[in-house]
Amino acid sequence: RPKLRGPELLCQLKNKAEVATLTSDLLPFSSLPWAAQLPSKPLTSDLGPYRSCAVVSSAGSLRYSGLGKEIDSHDAVLRFNAAPTSGFEKDVGSKTTIRLINSQVMASDDHRFLSSSLYSSGALVAWDPAPFSADLTQWYNRTDYPIFVQYQRYRRLHPLQPFYILHPLFEWQLWQRIQDNMAEPIQKNPPSSGFLGTVLMMSLCEVVHVYEFLPSRRKTELCHYYQRFYDAACTLGAYHPLLYEKNLVKRMNQGSDRDIYTHGRVTLPGFGRMNC
Ligand code: NCC
């Protein structure tokens, strides 16, 4: 198959992947007693549009980057999982508009999801690796981690904080975009939070800057900027098709290679601004 170039890839992504979140009117949820805890409207009708956005990967290469001011200058900032700002403001900034978390974070005791203040700023968006079919009932009866139990508990404790759950269709639509643009078969696991969050922000923002998803000259085996743990798989991928995600983002980048090298910065257009 022909290798698509940046603008074509961007249009394909815009046309074939749609950010969807669970709403209280969707089966099987609408038939469950806690349905009213789910938002009545999808994320895209509640959040944004934002002019300029930052997606902050959790990569170790953000350490000593000094990018904090630049990141905070954006209108909206997306962060991932348990990535803190406190104590790391110089490198990653302090603004959090949206935090995208996987279901493992919600379920594991170490992350103190229900009690830590880390999760209380901005809107939360959660996701769980679902079966490829994206069938909601099948998934609901067998989630990877107990995302729905934890969601209900969190909502009871923080009823006013906006909290969405990604529709599994979105995961697999993005997976398909990656697979269709690679020459070899990729593992049938959902994309990383990094890629999900990047496309999520492309749906909400006029322009998206992604930091240290494509590693800069600071590239390191340090997994996260906030932890003393070394593993190259954090940057290259194991479970997630991370290297393929990065390949696709590299092809779609509208910024310069120099920006990647010095700032770990990629510039992507928002879907609203694209003429396809
Ligand atoms: O590590 P994680 O990801 O939370 O990182 C968020 C996103 O940043 C990008 N990243 C991170 C580190 C790095 N060196 N390079 C990067 O490019 C990736 O795009 C990544 O998605 C996840 O995707 O949800 C993930 O979550 C962790 C873990 O569950 C959480 O951090 C909570 O502890 C996963 N790690 C493990 O399961 C051990 C990771 O595989 C994916």
Side-chain angles (χ1 to χ4, degrees):
R1 82 173 66 85
K3 196 168 170 181
L4 293 188
R5 305 203 33 230
E8 298 152 341
L9 275 177
L10 285 161
C11 282
Q12 205 186 62
L13 204 56
K14 172 180 169 158
N15 294 329
K16 296 195 177 182
E18 198 184 347
V19 181
T21 51
L22 303 183
T23 45
S24 49
D25 58 345
L26 260 184
L27 272 169
F29 307 101
S30 56
S31 69
L32 300 171
W34 59 273
Q37 287 193 330
L38 286 170
S40 54
K41 287 191 292 171
L43 174 147
T44 44
S45 53
D46 289 339
L47 298 183
Y50 306 108
R51 200 177 49 77
S52 157
C53 296
V55 172
V56 187
S57 93
S58 303
S61 47
L62 272 161
R63 196 89 174 100
Y64 309 119
S65 69
L67 286 168
K69 275 210 182 95
E70 171 171 334
I71 289 171
D72 276 348
S73 74
H74 295 288
D75 301 304
V77 178
L78 177 93
R79 301 183 192 277
F80 298 102
N81 296 322
T85 53
S86 177
F88 303 94
E89 291 88 348
K90 255 189 124 170
D91 296 328
V92 303
S94 59
K95 184 191 286 189
T96 304
T97 316
I98 304 178
R99 184 175 289 274
L100 179 60
I101 56 178
N102 67 41
S103 52
Q104 190 186 0
V105 172
M106 298 170 74
S108 96
D109 292 334
D110 331 335
H111 293 297
R112 308 176 156 279
F113 174 63
L114 296 174
S115 57
S116 166
S117 61
L118 182 65
Y119 305 99
S120 56
S121 36
L124 289 174
V125 182
W127 71 279
D128 175 74
F132 184 71
S133 65
D135 180 292
L136 291 181
T137 303
Q138 236 181 59
W139 172 48
Y140 183 70
N141 291 323
R142 234 183 115 177
T143 58
D144 213 21
Y145 289 91
I147 181 171
F148 294 112
V149 176
Q150 290 297 87
Y151 180 80
Q152 290 167 62
R153 290 189 178 138
Y154 191 95
R155 292 287 284 155
R156 252 177 267 134
L157 295 168
H158 310 267
L160 298 179
Q161 188 180 4
F163 194 169
Y164 302 86
I165 298 178
L166 282 181
H167 195 302
L169 203 52
F170 181 57
E171 295 165 26
W172 293 115
Q173 282 174 341
L174 291 192
W175 182 89
Q176 198 67 57
R177 284 309 93 232
I178 302 167
Q179 177 61 90
D180 283 359
N181 288 291
M182 297 300 149
E184 49 200 288
I186 67 171
Q187 62 267 52
K188 222 164 186 172
N189 299 326
S192 75
S193 297
F195 192 63
L196 297 173
T198 298
V199 180
L200 173 76
M201 290 312 254
M202 290 170 81
S203 322
L204 298 179
C205 312
E206 277 177 37
V207 57
V208 179
H209 295 95
V210 190
Y211 293 94
E212 293 287 1
F213 185 64
L214 301 187
S216 69
R217 62 183 169 195
R218 288 178 299 275
K219 181 175 156 111
T220 165
E221 292 199 354
L222 181 65
C223 182
H224 296 131
Y225 66 82
Y226 53 89
Q227 257 177 348
R228 233 173 252 183
F229 168 67
Y230 292 82
D231 185 354
C234 295
T235 305
L236 304 176
Y239 171 80
H240 298 291
L242 189 58
L243 213 51
Y244 300 102
E245 301 167 19
K246 294 187 184 210
N247 175 304
L248 215 54
V249 167
K250 175 76 171 66
R251 280 153 69 187
M252 296 188 298
N253 180 29
Q254 296 194 329
S256 66
D257 285 347
R258 185 85 206 159
D259 278 358
I260 300 175
Y261 185 68
T262 56
H263 289 71
R265 182 178 61 214
V266 157
T267 305
L268 299 169
F271 291 144
R273 226 190 48 185
M274 286 165 35
N275 288 317
C276 294

